[in-house]
Amino acid sequence: MSPHGRALPGEPDDSSAASRPAADRPGAHSTVDFDVDLSSHEMLRRAHVLDAVGPDWDPVAALRGEEAAYELLYSGLSAEQQRVYDELVSAGVLPRRGGGDAAA
């Protein structure tokens, strides 16, 4: 039976077949559970990432540098930019950052 309810060539035109469960229909295939455990692949991916960043990578220094960059990004804003920034902070879209004292 086609997905549109019409008999396919070579199939009997049995209108009651549509009311039967899929597994009971002639030529129907039962479903099979399929599980894939990707945890070993994830561990391999992480190992490759750590190899790529190298032994000199300092995650704490990287996070400090990222925070410093955000502080600069949100500092030295014009009055209009500061107004929009404050609205976004109060709406919870952005976290409060920057003291507004870095050079623009």
Side-chain angles (χ1 to χ4, degrees):
M1 187 74 72
S2 77
H4 303 290
R6 289 181 242 128
L8 296 174
E11 283 187 344
D13 186 15
D14 183 4
S15 60
S16 66
S19 63
R20 286 189 267 168
D24 295 339
R25 292 184 196 148
H29 300 284
S30 62
T31 60
V32 176
D33 288 338
F34 185 73
D35 294 324
V36 177
D37 182 6
L38 296 175
S39 55
S40 63
H41 183 272
E42 176 62 14
M43 294 305 294
L44 180 62
R45 185 195 66 79
R46 289 180 185 185
H48 285 301
V49 168
L50 291 176
D51 284 344
V53 296
D56 297 332
W57 180 62
D58 182 0
V60 174
L63 287 174
R64 283 186 188 134
E66 188 173 315
E67 286 299 316
Y70 275 118
E71 294 294 322
L72 286 173
L73 178 64
Y74 295 115
S75 65
L77 301 176
S78 70
E80 176 64 13
Q81 291 169 330
Q82 188 66 48
R83 184 191 63 74
V84 171
Y85 172 75
D86 291 338
E87 285 180 15
L88 292 172
V89 168
S90 65
V93 175
L94 291 175
R96 168 73 51 196
R97 296 185 187 271
D101 53 3

